[in-house]
Amino acid sequence: MRKIWIFLTCFMLAVNLAYGQSWGEKIIKKAGKRAEERAKQKVEDKVNKKVDKTVDDAFDEAGNAVKGNKDKKDKTEKKEEVKVKPVATKAESGQRMKQGPRGPVKRTEVGKILPSESIDVAESSGGVLSGGGEISIAVYNVADRSFYIYKDGKRTGPYTKSEMKAQLPADRVKYVNANVTRKVRASQKPLQDGYVVEEGKKYGPLEGELYYLYENEDKSAFIAVVYNMNAPLAFVTPLAGVVKTDKYMQYDLEVLTNESGKVLLLSIPLTSTNPQKQMEKQMEYNQIQMEKMKPIIDLTKKMQGASTEEQMKVVAEIKRKKEEIEKELKEIAPDQLVFEKYIYTLDGKGYGPYAKDAMICFSRSGGEHWAAMFNGTLRIDGVEMQVPGGIYPTSDILWISPDGQRFALKEYDKIAFSDGKEYPYPMHVTYENGELIWLCMENKESIVRYSLDF
């Protein structure tokens, strides 16, 4: 038993030393390990562009790059600076009042299916066929092995599979997802003497490197993100010019657009702690841990060849020393990186902080209005909304009204609206010509079409 214990102890120490970590680090549950690895990876990826670079090389290159940019700036004749627009970094407070639909909900019974009929999910994605303003439902009748279509209270058929398809609108869509958020294209190009140059206009001066330039298809809108590991994030838009934040970037960002492609959102996790400085502190802290662990390593050597009684004394001493070191390390441990998501718009306005994993999206019906969802909450344009009970908002079940004042959410057993009204589970929901339209099965036989001006 004694030999096994000694072997395991020595093995753990050997593994820890081989990987550059101390036993103390494992004792405090690897508090700084993850932050160090992420910060180190960022330095290597964003500065050196080569994963196999050492941390020291990364520091040297970063310093030289920043110094080089500064020298270039000093040699460049002074140019007019674009006014920096302040950014709101706090979430807008308050809650919008519940508002119902603009008009009455219209209900039309499409038809009643026969006991021998079932929704044809294979051919029509949930049985619903939509397109060109027409919405129908297809069924399969097991009695005569034929297809039928219900539309506007009428049942037509029977059809073979090919005949049924011929009855459908040429521009039909099988399913319309609520979420139309798209990522816009990105490209990399260097700053020109410290300036972002886009469509003949200069924005700056800025220090760092152009991380990415995001632009929509017709280039009417763009977001240029400038990265500097020693300074908070800065970005450029045509409306706001240069926007300087008070937060640091490390994680990858997203730029999203609505259906028209005219509105861009910058979605990015940021931290108030400088990742570069935090990494340096973490490395210093790791070195201190190694130094403080030496007495414990020496104590383990005393166990070799010792009697059981002596070993128990050493174990007690190790435990006491371990608790003492743990307390000392806790007092000097560096702050951990805490990333929270922030949203910035083309006019430079900021929203947040939100949870790092918050879902950000536009909806097919909501025009320029965007939503943020996290921890069961829903915010439209940064303002928290009241969510009907029992619904956990997600981006693919959300419809926003064009004025941003109303919304609809589909759940597994219902569709619910911002005014609290609920309807049976919709087999299909679509937004066409200013109307939100959905079809439900009621009483296991009635197909009902609902619609409202949204």
Side-chain angles (χ1 to χ4, degrees), residues 125-142:
S125 185
V128 177
L129 305 159
S130 173
E134 299 179 7
I135 297 181
S136 308
I137 187 164
V139 299
Y140 179 72
N141 192 317
V142 295

Side-chain angles (χ1 to χ4, degrees), residues 254-365:
E254 287 186 322
V255 176
L256 309 173
T257 183
N258 68 339
E259 194 168 26
S260 71
K262 302 294 184 183
V263 182
L264 302 184
L265 288 182
L266 171 60
S267 171
I268 180 170
L270 299 175
T271 179
S272 58
T273 305
N274 186 338
Q276 171 73 6
K277 300 298 182 184
Q278 195 276 346
M279 187 188 73
E280 294 173 359
K281 291 180 180 179
Q282 186 66 46
M283 294 176 69
E284 294 175 0
Y285 175 73
N286 290 347
Q287 186 61 39
I288 294 173
Q289 284 190 93
M290 293 295 293
E291 294 296 324
K292 287 185 175 292
M293 294 312 299
K294 286 181 180 179
I296 289 183
I297 296 175
D298 293 338
L299 284 171
T300 59
K301 294 177 181 179
K302 292 184 178 181
M303 301 182 70
Q304 299 179 11
S307 65
T308 301
E309 183 179 355
E310 291 172 335
Q311 285 184 9
M312 294 303 294
K313 290 180 180 180
V314 172
V315 169
E317 178 64 15
I318 288 176
K319 182 179 179 181
R320 185 194 65 78
K321 191 67 177 175
K322 185 172 64 173
E323 292 174 350
E324 179 183 306
I325 292 173
E326 194 175 53
K327 184 178 179 181
E328 292 177 0
L329 290 174
K330 188 176 181 180
E331 293 176 354
I332 65 172
D335 295 332
Q336 298 304 301
L337 293 173
V338 178
F339 285 89
E340 297 172 304
K341 185 164 286 187
Y342 290 81
I343 309 300
Y344 296 96
T345 55
L346 283 173
D347 61 3
K349 192 172 185 181
Y351 299 85
Y354 300 150
K356 187 177 71 175
D357 57 351
M359 293 181 289
I360 312 299
C361 75
F362 294 93
S363 82
R364 187 172 297 277
S365 56

Side-chain angles (χ1 to χ4, degrees), residues 155-408:
R155 176 179 183 264
T156 60
Y159 303 113
T160 63
K161 183 182 294 187
S162 59
E163 288 173 339
M164 184 191 70
K165 290 182 178 180
Q167 298 294 320
L168 305 175
D171 61 342
R172 74 182 188 276
V173 289
K174 287 189 174 182
Y175 177 67
V176 180
N177 195 299
N179 181 17
V180 295
T181 297
R182 296 190 296 264
K183 294 182 182 179
V184 295
R185 62 185 181 183
S187 59
Q188 283 185 301
K189 62 181 182 181
L191 291 174
Q192 296 185 23
D193 294 327
Y195 287 80
V196 172
V197 180
E198 184 70 9
E199 295 296 307
K201 295 183 179 180
K202 302 180 72 172
Y203 304 88
L206 292 158
E207 291 189 3
E209 62 182 57
L210 186 60
Y211 182 70
Y212 269 118
L213 171 68
Y214 297 83
E215 57 188 9
N216 57 2
E217 292 183 4
D218 64 4
K219 297 187 178 182
S220 62
F222 72 87
I223 294 178
V225 179
V226 179
Y227 177 70
N228 183 340
M229 71 169 64
N230 295 307
L233 174 72
F235 64 93
V236 174
T237 76
L239 292 179
V242 176
V243 178
K244 294 183 179 179
T245 76
D246 60 350
K247 300 290 188 293
Y248 293 84
M249 179 179 77
Q250 183 183 15
Y251 291 95
D252 288 337
L253 53 84
E254 287 186 322
V255 176
L256 309 173
T257 183
N258 68 339
E259 194 168 26
S260 71
K262 302 294 184 183
V263 182
L264 302 184
L265 288 182
L266 171 60
S267 171
I268 180 170
L270 299 175
T271 179
S272 58
T273 305
N274 186 338
Q276 171 73 6
K277 300 298 182 184
Q278 195 276 346
M279 187 188 73
E280 294 173 359
K281 291 180 180 179
Q282 186 66 46
M283 294 176 69
E284 294 175 0
Y285 175 73
N286 290 347
Q287 186 61 39
I288 294 173
Q289 284 190 93
M290 293 295 293
E291 294 296 324
K292 287 185 175 292
M293 294 312 299
K294 286 181 180 179
I296 289 183
I297 296 175
D298 293 338
L299 284 171
T300 59
K301 294 177 181 179
K302 292 184 178 181
M303 301 182 70
Q304 299 179 11
S307 65
T308 301
E309 183 179 355
E310 291 172 335
Q311 285 184 9
M312 294 303 294
K313 290 180 180 180
V314 172
V315 169
E317 178 64 15
I318 288 176
K319 182 179 179 181
R320 185 194 65 78
K321 191 67 177 175
K322 185 172 64 173
E323 292 174 350
E324 179 183 306
I325 292 173
E326 194 175 53
K327 184 178 179 181
E328 292 177 0
L329 290 174
K330 188 176 181 180
E331 293 176 354
I332 65 172
D335 295 332
Q336 298 304 301
L337 293 173
V338 178
F339 285 89
E340 297 172 304
K341 185 164 286 187
Y342 290 81
I343 309 300
Y344 296 96
T345 55
L346 283 173
D347 61 3
K349 192 172 185 181
Y351 299 85
Y354 300 150
K356 187 177 71 175
D357 57 351
M359 293 181 289
I360 312 299
C361 75
F362 294 93
S363 82
R364 187 172 297 277
S365 56
E368 297 184 357
H369 302 287
W370 56 275
M373 290 151 286
F374 55 96
N375 299 331
T377 64
L378 169 66
R379 286 174 170 79
I380 295 178
D381 300 336
V383 179
E384 186 171 353
M385 309 295 282
Q386 260 185 296
V387 178
I391 295 182
Y392 198 96
T394 60
S395 59
D396 60 343
I397 65 170
L398 171 70
W399 286 264
I400 303 172
S401 63
D403 62 6
Q405 299 296 307
R406 285 163 290 277
F407 63 88

